[in-house]
Amino acid sequence: MTDSPDNLRELDKRHFWHPFTQMREWTAPDHDPLVIASGEGAILRDLEGREYLDGNSSIWTNIHGHNHPAINRAIRDQLERIAHCSALGSTNEPAILLAARLAGLFPPDSLSRCFFSDDGSTAMECAMKMAIQYWQLKGCPGRCEFFAFSRAYHGDTLGAASLGAISSFHSRFAGLGVKTHHVSTLAELSTLDASATRNIAAVAIEPLVQGAAGIRLWPEGTLRELRAWCDCHGVFLLFDEVMTGFGRTGTMFACEQENVVPDMIALAKGLTGGYLPLAATLVTEEIYETFLGEVEEGRTFFHGHSYSGNALGCAAALASLALFEEENTLPRLAPRIEHLRQLLGNLVRENAYVSECRQAGFIAGIDLVDADGQPFAWTEQRGHRVCLAARRHGLLTRPVQDTVVLMPPLCTTEAQLDSALEAIDRAILEVCTP
Ligand SMILES: *Cc1c(COP(=O)(O)O)cnc(C)c1O
């Protein structure tokens, strides 16, 4: 790093437009942007050398920790050969092996075909366009609409955003993308008759837990019932495991916990261990085969991205998947999931400003309320302020409104969990005590 911290911060404020950020607040004279300079395991270090626990896995991406020697080595080895070549008209070893490896993570002959893209949003776009084209190829062009759930989040590109239903993110662009009907519960779906489902290509859901909605858990059995409903109505089931995939909920994929296999699945965030942008949409052989034909039949899936099957990203993903076996990641995670459960139980019992904690594996949502147990006015930004206060106690994370989210890398130790919960407890008391 050659630039001085002050100069970097000034350049940031002058030129860098940050995502999901009110830039007037960000560029205010009294705001010092946090500049992360390095990381190791679950720890991030800023330019001044201060250390923080990465309490949201760098926006839900990191799996085995930062600067992991095995993933670093895999990327470096690949870099010595080639960083990228096109998947249009050629192919490459890491992408081939990764496609096979991902298919092998699902039951035999289920999700056997892998289409690469760049991030969670594009993985969802691919799935949606595949579903729409599938039904066209089957002679049902009217099946081009979707069902999704209230408070869903499936990404920010226009197609993926049409599936979303979080008003602050989505209402501004509502109606501009793919036609989507939102339902709040399975019961609501079951009341619909054939006329309401005739035009539906697929149902999209975040399995087990809706992340951006504020860590909202589905009732047990939801995925099984939804699978049965989709089979009954001849509609595709599309799982968005962009956040839940790769061990976050305690199993490799959340859908394993209900033994349900979808027709299509979107994977991104943790795919490369949180190192590089890479995504995959996996579908059944039946969907894939529907696109086969002579060139002049026009069945080809005309969709792709410049960096599809990027060799560096695929090498990182292969290394991350290998680590699950080499480091025995999931069996070793189980006791720490229990430890987190105890810590959250203590927090909700002992902190008067915490009304509820929800947990799915290594994902937690902590709801804030005032001394009377009532929600704070959203304009007070209590969740945001609690996260800023937690930073002073060595924890970095972000809220969803007044839900503090804790989703650290899977390598986070029991002692680090203890410190994280202590930081959150103290931060809440500082911010919420009148
Ligand atoms: C983050 C997220 C997305 C979007 O992924 P990006 O990589 O940010 O485009 C989609 N679905 C879910 C469930 C997510 O959490």
Side-chain angles (χ1 to χ4, degrees):
M1 196 73 66
T2 50
D3 252 307
S4 78
D6 284 345
N7 192 38
L8 285 173
R9 289 197 174 90
E10 195 196 315
L11 286 174
D12 177 291
K13 287 186 178 185
R14 204 172 321 140
H15 297 293
F16 190 167
W17 189 345
H18 287 263
F20 283 92
T21 301
Q22 176 41 259
M23 291 304 292
R24 178 170 286 177
E25 272 186 1
W26 182 272
T27 56
D30 63 350
H31 177 239
D32 273 337
L34 173 67
V35 188
I36 297 298
S38 62
E40 186 135 16
I43 300 298
L44 296 171
R45 215 168 287 115
D46 70 13
L47 271 184
E48 283 78 15
R50 283 181 293 255
E51 293 193 342
Y52 310 89
L53 181 75
D54 187 359
N56 76 347
S57 296
S58 297
I59 207 64
W60 312 354
T61 57
N62 194 278
I63 300 290
H64 304 288
H66 297 278
N67 217 344
H68 194 293
I71 304 181
N72 288 5
R73 196 179 321 115
I75 294 174
R76 234 182 259 125
D77 286 351
Q78 182 57 43
L79 189 57
E80 296 298 331
R81 296 190 197 104
I82 188 170
H84 179 67
C85 66
S86 173
L88 287 73
S90 66
T91 186
N92 70 82
E93 180 172 333
I96 295 167
L97 296 180
L98 181 60
R101 190 74 205 273
L102 289 172
L105 294 174
F106 297 94
D109 304 319
S110 59
L111 297 165
S112 50
R113 290 287 164 173
C114 174
F115 192 98
F116 289 113
S117 57
D118 303 337
D119 49 49
S121 307
T122 49
M124 288 300 291
E125 298 273 342
C126 290
M128 295 170 76
K129 286 177 68 180
M130 282 173 183
I132 291 169
Q133 184 170 335
Y134 172 95
W135 289 114
Q136 290 174 356
L137 296 173
K138 288 286 183 181
C140 311
R143 277 201 189 267
C144 57
E145 300 172 12
F146 289 80
F147 276 141
F149 288 89
S150 310
R151 297 196 275 199
Y153 180 79
H154 296 290
D156 288 333
T157 55
L158 210 45
S162 4
L163 296 179
I166 297 176
S167 62
S168 51
F169 303 172
H170 298 125
S171 59
R172 200 174 285 283
F173 304 103
L176 297 178
V178 177
K179 190 160 182 193
T180 302
H181 310 267
H182 288 99
V183 292
S184 16
T185 58
L186 274 185
E188 199 182 325
L189 261 191
S190 1
T191 61
L192 300 173
D193 59 16
S195 68
T197 62
R198 199 176 44 222
N199 292 334
I200 302 302
V203 182
I205 187 171
E206 299 155 80
L208 291 194
V209 50
Q210 290 184 317
I215 316 301
R216 305 262 153 206
L217 311 184
W218 291 110
E220 209 186 310
T222 296
L223 302 181
R224 277 194 302 274
E225 283 178 52
L226 192 57
R227 176 75 270 181
W229 186 92
C230 285
D231 291 342
C232 177
H233 291 81
V235 166
F236 285 133
L237 180 55
L238 163 56
F239 281 173
D240 177 352
E241 292 235 22
V242 170
M243 183 274 277
T244 50
F246 304 102
R248 201 69 74 183
T249 67
T251 47
M252 186 56 98
F253 298 108
C255 60
E256 292 169 32
Q257 299 192 25
E258 292 198 9
N259 263 316
V260 171
V261 183
D263 304 295
M264 324 178 97
I265 195 166
L267 306 173
K269 288 192 169 106
L271 171 58
T272 60
Y275 270 58
L276 289 162
L278 179 74
T281 305
L282 277 85
V283 302
T284 62
E285 200 68 11
E286 199 267 323
I287 293 177
Y288 164 78
E289 281 175 355
T290 301
F291 289 70
L292 302 181
E294 300 304 322
V295 171
E296 58 273 19
E297 288 179 67
R299 306 179 79 89
T300 308
F301 187 50
F302 281 111
H303 180 106
H305 302 285
S306 314
Y307 285 96
S308 291
N310 174 259
L312 285 183
C314 292
L318 284 169
S320 174
L321 289 173
L323 280 176
F324 276 94
E325 280 159 29
E326 287 156 19
E327 295 191 340
N328 223 8
T329 304
L330 296 178
R332 284 176 48 232
L333 182 63
R336 279 171 290 136
I337 289 175
E338 278 321 302
H339 187 67
L340 177 59
R341 195 177 309 284
Q342 283 174 16
L343 294 174
L344 293 169
N346 296 344
L347 183 70
V348 77
R349 252 190 325 276
E350 289 161 17
N351 191 313
Y353 304 101
V354 174
S355 58
E356 184 179 81
C357 294
R358 292 176 298 280
Q359 182 185 7
F362 226 40
I363 305 169
I366 297 160
D367 285 349
L368 306 176
V369 286
D370 69 16
D372 300 321
Q374 298 304 310
F376 291 106
W378 72 269
T379 46
E380 293 176 18
Q381 297 198 74
R382 297 282 178 159
H384 174 63
R385 286 159 59 193
V386 165
C387 291
L388 284 181
R391 186 191 290 189
R392 293 194 291 275
H393 303 301
L395 173 73
L396 273 190
T397 193
R398 286 177 65 89
V400 174
Q401 290 167 347
D402 284 346
T403 301
V404 176
V405 175
L406 183 66
M407 196 186 304
L410 306 190
C411 65
T412 305
T413 63
E414 282 198 8
Q416 287 171 327
L417 285 177
D418 292 341
S419 320
L421 267 289
E422 201 180 307
I424 291 173
D425 187 32
R426 289 168 67 185
I428 292 173
L429 292 178
E430 287 165 16
V431 169
C432 298
T433 309

mmCIF file of all heavy atoms in Angstrom, residues 149 186 204-209 218-231 237-241 244 253-262:
data_model
loop_
_atom_site.group_PDB
_atom_site.id
_atom_site.type_symbol
_atom_site.label_atom_id
_atom_site.label_comp_id
_atom_site.label_asym_id
_atom_site.label_seq_id
_atom_site.Cartn_x
_atom_site.Cartn_y
_atom_site.Cartn_z
ATOM 1 N N PHE A 149 -42.005 -15.467 -2.333
ATOM 2 C CA PHE A 149 -42.593 -15.255 -1.016
ATOM 3 C C PHE A 149 -42.408 -13.822 -0.530
ATOM 4 O O PHE A 149 -41.475 -13.123 -0.934
ATOM 5 C CB PHE A 149 -42.011 -16.255 -0.016
ATOM 6 C CG PHE A 149 -42.521 -17.653 -0.256
ATOM 7 C CD1 PHE A 149 -41.857 -18.508 -1.127
ATOM 8 C CD2 PHE A 149 -43.693 -18.089 0.331
ATOM 9 C CE1 PHE A 149 -42.345 -19.781 -1.390
ATOM 10 C CE2 PHE A 149 -44.191 -19.360 0.076
ATOM 11 C CZ PHE A 149 -43.515 -20.212 -0.788
ATOM 12 N N LEU A 186 -47.302 -21.063 2.764
ATOM 13 C CA LEU A 186 -47.652 -22.223 1.954
ATOM 14 C C LEU A 186 -49.153 -22.384 1.886
ATOM 15 O O LEU A 186 -49.713 -22.756 0.854
ATOM 16 C CB LEU A 186 -47.068 -23.479 2.592
ATOM 17 C CG LEU A 186 -45.647 -23.826 2.217
ATOM 18 C CD1 LEU A 186 -45.288 -25.153 2.840
ATOM 19 C CD2 LEU A 186 -45.511 -23.891 0.708
ATOM 20 N N ALA A 204 -39.913 -19.718 -6.434
ATOM 21 C CA ALA A 204 -38.577 -19.493 -5.866
ATOM 22 C C ALA A 204 -38.674 -19.336 -4.360
ATOM 23 O O ALA A 204 -39.601 -18.690 -3.847
ATOM 24 C CB ALA A 204 -37.949 -18.235 -6.471
ATOM 25 N N ILE A 205 -37.721 -19.936 -3.659
ATOM 26 C CA ILE A 205 -37.693 -19.800 -2.188
ATOM 27 C C ILE A 205 -36.249 -19.865 -1.706
ATOM 28 O O ILE A 205 -35.406 -20.535 -2.318
ATOM 29 C CB ILE A 205 -38.558 -20.895 -1.509
ATOM 30 C CG1 ILE A 205 -38.675 -20.637 0.001
ATOM 31 C CG2 ILE A 205 -38.013 -22.289 -1.791
ATOM 32 C CD1 ILE A 205 -39.685 -21.524 0.718
ATOM 33 N N GLU A 206 -35.977 -19.143 -0.617
ATOM 34 C CA GLU A 206 -34.728 -19.280 0.108
ATOM 35 C C GLU A 206 -34.964 -20.381 1.141
ATOM 36 O O GLU A 206 -35.711 -20.165 2.087
ATOM 37 C CB GLU A 206 -34.390 -17.967 0.823
ATOM 38 C CG GLU A 206 -34.205 -16.761 -0.093
ATOM 39 C CD GLU A 206 -34.467 -15.427 0.627
ATOM 40 O OE1 GLU A 206 -33.585 -14.946 1.334
ATOM 41 O OE2 GLU A 206 -35.579 -14.871 0.458
ATOM 42 N N PRO A 207 -34.364 -21.547 0.984
ATOM 43 C CA PRO A 207 -34.682 -22.669 1.863
ATOM 44 C C PRO A 207 -34.261 -22.443 3.322
ATOM 45 O O PRO A 207 -33.212 -21.846 3.570
ATOM 46 C CB PRO A 207 -33.892 -23.839 1.280
ATOM 47 C CG PRO A 207 -33.420 -23.400 -0.038
ATOM 48 C CD PRO A 207 -33.386 -21.910 -0.042
ATOM 49 N N LEU A 208 -35.068 -22.882 4.231
ATOM 50 C CA LEU A 208 -34.877 -22.824 5.697
ATOM 51 C C LEU A 208 -34.939 -21.417 6.286
ATOM 52 O O LEU A 208 -35.557 -21.187 7.312
ATOM 53 C CB LEU A 208 -33.557 -23.455 6.172
ATOM 54 C CG LEU A 208 -33.371 -24.954 6.071
ATOM 55 C CD1 LEU A 208 -32.156 -25.376 6.901
ATOM 56 C CD2 LEU A 208 -34.603 -25.731 6.506
ATOM 57 N N VAL A 209 -34.270 -20.459 5.614
ATOM 58 C CA VAL A 209 -34.167 -19.142 6.243
ATOM 59 C C VAL A 209 -34.075 -18.051 5.179
ATOM 60 O O VAL A 209 -33.315 -18.160 4.220
ATOM 61 C CB VAL A 209 -32.975 -19.099 7.234
ATOM 62 C CG1 VAL A 209 -31.703 -19.620 6.604
ATOM 63 C CG2 VAL A 209 -32.756 -17.695 7.792
ATOM 64 N N TRP A 218 -38.334 -20.564 8.139
ATOM 65 C CA TRP A 218 -39.564 -21.208 7.681
ATOM 66 C C TRP A 218 -39.961 -22.290 8.671
ATOM 67 O O TRP A 218 -39.091 -22.933 9.260
ATOM 68 C CB TRP A 218 -39.348 -21.850 6.304
ATOM 69 C CG TRP A 218 -39.162 -20.874 5.193
ATOM 70 C CD1 TRP A 218 -38.005 -20.623 4.505
ATOM 71 C CD2 TRP A 218 -40.157 -20.013 4.634
ATOM 72 N NE1 TRP A 218 -38.220 -19.655 3.561
ATOM 73 C CE2 TRP A 218 -39.535 -19.267 3.610
ATOM 74 C CE3 TRP A 218 -41.514 -19.799 4.895
ATOM 75 C CZ2 TRP A 218 -40.224 -18.323 2.847
ATOM 76 C CZ3 TRP A 218 -42.194 -18.863 4.136
ATOM 77 C CH2 TRP A 218 -41.553 -18.135 3.129
ATOM 78 N N PRO A 219 -41.271 -22.533 8.820
ATOM 79 C CA PRO A 219 -41.683 -23.655 9.665
ATOM 80 C C PRO A 219 -41.108 -24.962 9.110
ATOM 81 O O PRO A 219 -40.935 -25.099 7.897
ATOM 82 C CB PRO A 219 -43.216 -23.661 9.536
ATOM 83 C CG PRO A 219 -43.594 -22.328 8.997
ATOM 84 C CD PRO A 219 -42.410 -21.809 8.239
ATOM 85 N N GLU A 220 -40.822 -25.886 10.023
ATOM 86 C CA GLU A 220 -40.284 -27.167 9.593
ATOM 87 C C GLU A 220 -41.259 -27.836 8.625
ATOM 88 O O GLU A 220 -42.479 -27.763 8.818
ATOM 89 C CB GLU A 220 -40.080 -28.058 10.826
ATOM 90 C CG GLU A 220 -38.961 -29.051 10.653
ATOM 91 C CD GLU A 220 -38.884 -30.007 11.834
ATOM 92 O OE1 GLU A 220 -38.874 -29.512 12.987
ATOM 93 O OE2 GLU A 220 -38.861 -31.229 11.592
ATOM 94 N N GLY A 221 -40.727 -28.466 7.615
ATOM 95 C CA GLY A 221 -41.576 -29.168 6.652
ATOM 96 C C GLY A 221 -41.950 -28.330 5.438
ATOM 97 O O GLY A 221 -42.552 -28.843 4.491
ATOM 98 N N THR A 222 -41.606 -27.019 5.476
ATOM 99 C CA THR A 222 -41.979 -26.125 4.372
ATOM 100 C C THR A 222 -41.468 -26.626 3.020
ATOM 101 O O THR A 222 -42.200 -26.614 2.025
ATOM 102 C CB THR A 222 -41.437 -24.703 4.643
ATOM 103 O OG1 THR A 222 -42.077 -24.186 5.814
ATOM 104 C CG2 THR A 222 -41.695 -23.770 3.477
ATOM 105 N N LEU A 223 -40.217 -27.069 2.993
ATOM 106 C CA LEU A 223 -39.638 -27.460 1.702
ATOM 107 C C LEU A 223 -40.292 -28.727 1.172
ATOM 108 O O LEU A 223 -40.572 -28.844 -0.025
ATOM 109 C CB LEU A 223 -38.124 -27.662 1.841
ATOM 110 C CG LEU A 223 -37.353 -26.437 2.343
ATOM 111 C CD1 LEU A 223 -35.870 -26.741 2.425
ATOM 112 C CD2 LEU A 223 -37.611 -25.234 1.447
ATOM 113 N N ARG A 224 -40.570 -29.674 2.091
ATOM 114 C CA ARG A 224 -41.240 -30.909 1.660
ATOM 115 C C ARG A 224 -42.619 -30.601 1.095
ATOM 116 O O ARG A 224 -43.003 -31.106 0.044
ATOM 117 C CB ARG A 224 -41.363 -31.886 2.839
ATOM 118 C CG ARG A 224 -40.124 -32.725 3.091
ATOM 119 C CD ARG A 224 -40.424 -33.889 4.024
ATOM 120 N NE ARG A 224 -40.953 -33.427 5.308
ATOM 121 C CZ ARG A 224 -40.188 -33.067 6.343
ATOM 122 N NH1 ARG A 224 -38.863 -33.107 6.238
ATOM 123 N NH2 ARG A 224 -40.726 -32.674 7.469
ATOM 124 N N GLU A 225 -43.363 -29.743 1.802
ATOM 125 C CA GLU A 225 -44.711 -29.411 1.332
ATOM 126 C C GLU A 225 -44.664 -28.660 0.012
ATOM 127 O O GLU A 225 -45.498 -28.869 -0.869
ATOM 128 C CB GLU A 225 -45.441 -28.552 2.373
ATOM 129 C CG GLU A 225 -45.957 -29.340 3.554
ATOM 130 C CD GLU A 225 -46.623 -28.420 4.568
ATOM 131 O OE1 GLU A 225 -47.504 -27.630 4.164
ATOM 132 O OE2 GLU A 225 -46.238 -28.483 5.750
ATOM 133 N N LEU A 226 -43.697 -27.772 -0.108
ATOM 134 C CA LEU A 226 -43.585 -26.994 -1.342
ATOM 135 C C LEU A 226 -43.227 -27.915 -2.512
ATOM 136 O O LEU A 226 -43.742 -27.753 -3.624
ATOM 137 C CB LEU A 226 -42.530 -25.904 -1.165
ATOM 138 C CG LEU A 226 -42.477 -24.829 -2.228
ATOM 139 C CD1 LEU A 226 -43.812 -24.121 -2.386
ATOM 140 C CD2 LEU A 226 -41.391 -23.798 -1.891
ATOM 141 N N ARG A 227 -42.354 -28.895 -2.234
ATOM 142 C CA ARG A 227 -41.994 -29.865 -3.276
ATOM 143 C C ARG A 227 -43.261 -30.603 -3.754
ATOM 144 O O ARG A 227 -43.502 -30.741 -4.953
ATOM 145 C CB ARG A 227 -40.960 -30.850 -2.712
ATOM 146 C CG ARG A 227 -40.518 -32.008 -3.601
ATOM 147 C CD ARG A 227 -39.563 -31.596 -4.701
ATOM 148 N NE ARG A 227 -40.266 -31.217 -5.905
ATOM 149 C CZ ARG A 227 -39.650 -30.838 -7.038
ATOM 150 N NH1 ARG A 227 -38.337 -30.774 -7.106
ATOM 151 N NH2 ARG A 227 -40.341 -30.510 -8.099
ATOM 152 N N ALA A 228 -44.053 -31.023 -2.795
ATOM 153 C CA ALA A 228 -45.280 -31.755 -3.155
ATOM 154 C C ALA A 228 -46.224 -30.854 -3.949
ATOM 155 O O ALA A 228 -46.828 -31.279 -4.934
ATOM 156 C CB ALA A 228 -45.961 -32.278 -1.891
ATOM 157 N N TRP A 229 -46.336 -29.593 -3.539
ATOM 158 C CA TRP A 229 -47.227 -28.653 -4.231
ATOM 159 C C TRP A 229 -46.759 -28.441 -5.667
ATOM 160 O O TRP A 229 -47.546 -28.461 -6.608
ATOM 161 C CB TRP A 229 -47.255 -27.316 -3.475
ATOM 162 C CG TRP A 229 -48.259 -26.358 -4.048
ATOM 163 C CD1 TRP A 229 -49.555 -26.203 -3.669
ATOM 164 C CD2 TRP A 229 -48.032 -25.428 -5.131
ATOM 165 N NE1 TRP A 229 -50.166 -25.240 -4.442
ATOM 166 C CE2 TRP A 229 -49.255 -24.753 -5.347
ATOM 167 C CE3 TRP A 229 -46.939 -25.113 -5.921
ATOM 168 C CZ2 TRP A 229 -49.400 -23.776 -6.333
ATOM 169 C CZ3 TRP A 229 -47.071 -24.150 -6.916
ATOM 170 C CH2 TRP A 229 -48.299 -23.484 -7.102
ATOM 171 N N CYS A 230 -45.450 -28.269 -5.851
ATOM 172 C CA CYS A 230 -44.903 -28.048 -7.199
ATOM 173 C C CYS A 230 -45.141 -29.268 -8.085
ATOM 174 O O CYS A 230 -45.498 -29.137 -9.252
ATOM 175 C CB CYS A 230 -43.406 -27.756 -7.123
ATOM 176 S SG CYS A 230 -43.039 -26.109 -6.527
ATOM 177 N N ASP A 231 -44.935 -30.471 -7.511
ATOM 178 C CA ASP A 231 -45.157 -31.687 -8.295
ATOM 179 C C ASP A 231 -46.614 -31.774 -8.714
ATOM 180 O O ASP A 231 -46.939 -32.145 -9.841
ATOM 181 C CB ASP A 231 -44.755 -32.923 -7.474
ATOM 182 C CG ASP A 231 -43.241 -32.980 -7.281
ATOM 183 O OD1 ASP A 231 -42.528 -32.295 -8.043
ATOM 184 O OD2 ASP A 231 -42.784 -33.686 -6.360
ATOM 185 N N LEU A 237 -39.544 -26.060 -9.014
ATOM 186 C CA LEU A 237 -39.131 -25.581 -7.696
ATOM 187 C C LEU A 237 -37.697 -25.066 -7.817
ATOM 188 O O LEU A 237 -36.788 -25.810 -8.204
ATOM 189 C CB LEU A 237 -39.220 -26.732 -6.688
ATOM 190 C CG LEU A 237 -38.824 -26.433 -5.251
ATOM 191 C CD1 LEU A 237 -39.608 -25.259 -4.680
ATOM 192 C CD2 LEU A 237 -39.026 -27.677 -4.372
ATOM 193 N N LEU A 238 -37.526 -23.784 -7.512
ATOM 194 C CA LEU A 238 -36.215 -23.127 -7.631
ATOM 195 C C LEU A 238 -35.721 -22.723 -6.247
ATOM 196 O O LEU A 238 -36.339 -21.891 -5.579
ATOM 197 C CB LEU A 238 -36.358 -21.893 -8.546
ATOM 198 C CG LEU A 238 -35.246 -20.834 -8.513
ATOM 199 C CD1 LEU A 238 -33.884 -21.424 -8.809
ATOM 200 C CD2 LEU A 238 -35.575 -19.707 -9.503
ATOM 201 N N PHE A 239 -34.627 -23.341 -5.817
ATOM 202 C CA PHE A 239 -34.046 -22.990 -4.513
ATOM 203 C C PHE A 239 -32.939 -21.959 -4.710
ATOM 204 O O PHE A 239 -32.044 -22.155 -5.530
ATOM 205 C CB PHE A 239 -33.462 -24.219 -3.812
ATOM 206 C CG PHE A 239 -34.495 -25.098 -3.146
ATOM 207 C CD1 PHE A 239 -34.127 -26.323 -2.588
ATOM 208 C CD2 PHE A 239 -35.831 -24.711 -3.068
ATOM 209 C CE1 PHE A 239 -35.069 -27.136 -1.973
ATOM 210 C CE2 PHE A 239 -36.778 -25.517 -2.453
ATOM 211 C CZ PHE A 239 -36.396 -26.737 -1.911
ATOM 212 N N ASP A 240 -33.025 -20.912 -3.935
ATOM 213 C CA ASP A 240 -31.975 -19.900 -3.902
ATOM 214 C C ASP A 240 -31.125 -20.188 -2.665
ATOM 215 O O ASP A 240 -31.457 -19.788 -1.555
ATOM 216 C CB ASP A 240 -32.615 -18.509 -3.821
ATOM 217 C CG ASP A 240 -31.571 -17.399 -3.700
ATOM 218 O OD1 ASP A 240 -30.382 -17.718 -3.521
ATOM 219 O OD2 ASP A 240 -31.970 -16.219 -3.776
ATOM 220 N N GLU A 241 -30.015 -20.929 -2.888
ATOM 221 C CA GLU A 241 -29.105 -21.238 -1.775
ATOM 222 C C GLU A 241 -27.866 -20.343 -1.853
ATOM 223 O O GLU A 241 -26.774 -20.738 -1.427
ATOM 224 C CB GLU A 241 -28.743 -22.729 -1.756
ATOM 225 C CG GLU A 241 -29.928 -23.630 -1.406
ATOM 226 C CD GLU A 241 -29.666 -24.562 -0.219
ATOM 227 O OE1 GLU A 241 -28.766 -24.257 0.603
ATOM 228 O OE2 GLU A 241 -30.366 -25.581 -0.125
ATOM 229 N N THR A 244 -27.522 -19.637 1.892
ATOM 230 C CA THR A 244 -27.527 -20.798 2.786
ATOM 231 C C THR A 244 -26.534 -21.886 2.377
ATOM 232 O O THR A 244 -26.243 -22.778 3.176
ATOM 233 C CB THR A 244 -28.936 -21.428 2.836
ATOM 234 O OG1 THR A 244 -29.394 -21.619 1.487
ATOM 235 C CG2 THR A 244 -29.911 -20.525 3.570
ATOM 236 N N PHE A 253 -25.901 -28.047 2.077
ATOM 237 C CA PHE A 253 -26.976 -27.197 1.572
ATOM 238 C C PHE A 253 -28.155 -27.274 2.534
ATOM 239 O O PHE A 253 -28.400 -28.310 3.159
ATOM 240 C CB PHE A 253 -27.387 -27.629 0.154
ATOM 241 C CG PHE A 253 -26.255 -27.501 -0.822
ATOM 242 C CD1 PHE A 253 -25.623 -28.636 -1.318
ATOM 243 C CD2 PHE A 253 -25.778 -26.255 -1.195
ATOM 244 C CE1 PHE A 253 -24.546 -28.517 -2.180
ATOM 245 C CE2 PHE A 253 -24.699 -26.130 -2.056
ATOM 246 C CZ PHE A 253 -24.079 -27.261 -2.548
ATOM 247 N N ALA A 254 -28.897 -26.180 2.635
ATOM 248 C CA ALA A 254 -30.029 -26.137 3.558
ATOM 249 C C ALA A 254 -31.078 -27.173 3.185
ATOM 250 O O ALA A 254 -31.704 -27.782 4.060
ATOM 251 C CB ALA A 254 -30.639 -24.731 3.545
ATOM 252 N N CYS A 255 -31.262 -27.424 1.889
ATOM 253 C CA CYS A 255 -32.336 -28.332 1.460
ATOM 254 C C CYS A 255 -32.110 -29.761 1.930
ATOM 255 O O CYS A 255 -33.055 -30.538 2.020
ATOM 256 C CB CYS A 255 -32.528 -28.270 -0.052
ATOM 257 S SG CYS A 255 -31.086 -28.732 -1.019
ATOM 258 N N GLU A 256 -30.856 -30.105 2.280
ATOM 259 C CA GLU A 256 -30.593 -31.459 2.788
ATOM 260 C C GLU A 256 -31.342 -31.716 4.084
ATOM 261 O O GLU A 256 -31.671 -32.851 4.415
ATOM 262 C CB GLU A 256 -29.093 -31.650 3.068
ATOM 263 C CG GLU A 256 -28.237 -31.670 1.830
ATOM 264 C CD GLU A 256 -26.752 -31.578 2.178
ATOM 265 O OE1 GLU A 256 -26.338 -32.078 3.241
ATOM 266 O OE2 GLU A 256 -26.017 -30.986 1.368
ATOM 267 N N GLN A 257 -31.612 -30.648 4.842
ATOM 268 C CA GLN A 257 -32.224 -30.839 6.156
ATOM 269 C C GLN A 257 -33.655 -31.314 6.049
ATOM 270 O O GLN A 257 -34.218 -31.821 7.013
ATOM 271 C CB GLN A 257 -32.116 -29.557 6.984
ATOM 272 C CG GLN A 257 -30.657 -29.201 7.195
ATOM 273 C CD GLN A 257 -30.412 -28.120 8.219
ATOM 274 O OE1 GLN A 257 -31.230 -27.919 9.110
ATOM 275 N NE2 GLN A 257 -29.300 -27.441 8.107
ATOM 276 N N GLU A 258 -34.272 -31.127 4.863
ATOM 277 C CA GLU A 258 -35.609 -31.696 4.672
ATOM 278 C C GLU A 258 -35.604 -32.729 3.552
ATOM 279 O O GLU A 258 -36.674 -33.134 3.092
ATOM 280 C CB GLU A 258 -36.628 -30.570 4.398
ATOM 281 C CG GLU A 258 -36.829 -29.696 5.618
ATOM 282 C CD GLU A 258 -38.105 -28.857 5.557
ATOM 283 O OE1 GLU A 258 -38.928 -29.059 4.654
ATOM 284 O OE2 GLU A 258 -38.251 -27.998 6.436
ATOM 285 N N ASN A 259 -34.383 -33.147 3.168
ATOM 286 C CA ASN A 259 -34.292 -34.176 2.137
ATOM 287 C C ASN A 259 -35.055 -33.842 0.870
ATOM 288 O O ASN A 259 -35.693 -34.718 0.288
ATOM 289 C CB ASN A 259 -34.820 -35.505 2.682
ATOM 290 C CG ASN A 259 -33.678 -36.360 3.151
ATOM 291 O OD1 ASN A 259 -32.663 -36.461 2.461
ATOM 292 N ND2 ASN A 259 -33.838 -36.917 4.340
ATOM 293 N N VAL A 260 -35.017 -32.577 0.492
ATOM 294 C CA VAL A 260 -35.750 -32.151 -0.699
ATOM 295 C C VAL A 260 -34.753 -31.716 -1.756
ATOM 296 O O VAL A 260 -33.785 -31.014 -1.457
ATOM 297 C CB VAL A 260 -36.710 -30.990 -0.361
ATOM 298 C CG1 VAL A 260 -37.311 -30.409 -1.628
ATOM 299 C CG2 VAL A 260 -37.801 -31.476 0.576
ATOM 300 N N VAL A 261 -34.966 -32.154 -2.978
ATOM 301 C CA VAL A 261 -34.126 -31.726 -4.094
ATOM 302 C C VAL A 261 -34.992 -30.879 -5.027
ATOM 303 O O VAL A 261 -36.055 -31.318 -5.440
ATOM 304 C CB VAL A 261 -33.547 -32.939 -4.855
ATOM 305 C CG1 VAL A 261 -32.620 -32.459 -5.969
ATOM 306 C CG2 VAL A 261 -32.799 -33.852 -3.896
ATOM 307 N N PRO A 262 -34.545 -29.670 -5.346
ATOM 308 C CA PRO A 262 -35.326 -28.826 -6.254
ATOM 309 C C PRO A 262 -35.068 -29.205 -7.713
ATOM 310 O O PRO A 262 -34.247 -30.081 -7.992
ATOM 311 C CB PRO A 262 -34.766 -27.432 -5.961
ATOM 312 C CG PRO A 262 -33.325 -27.696 -5.642
ATOM 313 C CD PRO A 262 -33.296 -29.023 -4.922
#
